[in-house]
Amino acid sequence: MQLALEQARFALESGEVPVGCIFYHLPSQTVVAKSHNLTNQTKNVYFHLLLNIKATTHCEINCINQLSNENKINMIQECVLYVTVEPCLMCAHALNLVKIMKVKFGCENDKFGGNGSILSLNKFQNAGYQVEQGILKNDAIKLLQQFYEHGNEKAPENKRQRKI
């Protein structure tokens, strides 16, 4: 989880929502993919124009794409995902589709969580994945607090969180 937190710190330093993850391949005991959110950087112009989807470059999706591009997508079935924040509904469903073995996350995602907070998408299919939560939870929360202290300056004006 420390490596996932490191990715989240990279995100924070670059103005992204500080969520980071790694895919750890159990048989080889190696990290096979790592990423942090890139939604502010990429702006997902193509998806936004065609489908009105604004945030598909979440760290989990970035890692899945990385492994797919390297023809290693089947490795995911032998991987544990360590992610600082509970995967959102989109990512939780994607993780189910690629048959991730297990997800370990830091803090809950009370608005969009797909592994128990809103829905348990990991349990929707017979071959769902295991979930473990609360791994270095306070560290993940602190990074999110640092980011949202001033609001997400790159979010649309009506979506920004402001101090009251």
Side-chain angles (χ1 to χ4, degrees), residues 143-158:
L143 289 171
L144 291 169
Q145 287 172 333
Q146 287 178 307
F147 180 78
Y148 285 112
E149 210 169 54
H150 303 290
N152 183 352
E153 296 174 4
K154 296 184 180 174
E157 185 68 34
N158 64 339

Side-chain angles (χ1 to χ4, degrees), residues 4-66:
L5 284 164
E6 182 179 293
Q7 288 297 312
R9 287 185 202 98
F10 292 150
L12 182 63
E13 291 168 7
S14 64
E16 295 284 349
V17 177
V19 181
C21 74
I22 64 158
F23 279 63
Y24 184 77
H25 186 243
L26 288 175
S28 66
Q29 298 186 353
T30 59
V31 174
V32 293
K34 60 185 176 181
S35 185
H36 57 78
N37 281 4
L38 296 170
T39 55
N40 287 335
Q41 180 182 329
T42 61
K43 294 185 176 50
N44 291 106
V45 175
Y46 177 76
F47 287 106
H48 175 67
L49 293 174
L50 289 180
L51 305 172
N52 198 27
I53 296 172
K54 299 177 183 169
T56 58
T57 50
H58 290 186
C59 57
E60 301 95 329
I61 301 297
N62 298 339
C63 286
I64 291 169
N65 287 336
Q66 177 187 340

Side-chain angles (χ1 to χ4, degrees), residues 28-140:
S28 66
Q29 298 186 353
T30 59
V31 174
V32 293
K34 60 185 176 181
S35 185
H36 57 78
N37 281 4
L38 296 170
T39 55
N40 287 335
Q41 180 182 329
T42 61
K43 294 185 176 50
N44 291 106
V45 175
Y46 177 76
F47 287 106
H48 175 67
L49 293 174
L50 289 180
L51 305 172
N52 198 27
I53 296 172
K54 299 177 183 169
T56 58
T57 50
H58 290 186
C59 57
E60 301 95 329
I61 301 297
N62 298 339
C63 286
I64 291 169
N65 287 336
Q66 177 187 340
L67 290 169
S68 178
N69 291 339
E70 296 171 0
N71 293 319
K72 296 179 180 178
I73 197 76
N74 291 333
M75 291 181 90
I76 293 177
Q77 296 176 26
E78 302 174 322
C79 285
V80 175
L81 167 66
Y82 290 85
V83 61
T84 58
V85 178
E86 176 185 1
C88 71
L89 296 167
M90 172 186 70
C91 293
H93 182 61
L95 292 164
N96 221 338
L97 291 174
V98 297
K99 297 179 173 42
I100 189 84
M101 179 189 293
K102 187 171 189 172
V103 172
K104 295 185 178 193
F105 67 83
C107 63
E108 294 84 5
N109 182 343
D110 293 333
K111 287 188 175 185
F112 307 108
N115 287 158
S117 292
I118 303 299
L119 291 174
S120 296
L121 294 178
N122 57 300
K123 296 179 182 178
F124 274 20
Q125 294 179 343
N126 290 338
Y129 54 90
Q130 300 172 350
V131 172
E132 186 178 333
Q133 63 186 35
I135 314 296
L136 297 177
K137 177 179 179 173
N138 291 335
D139 293 337

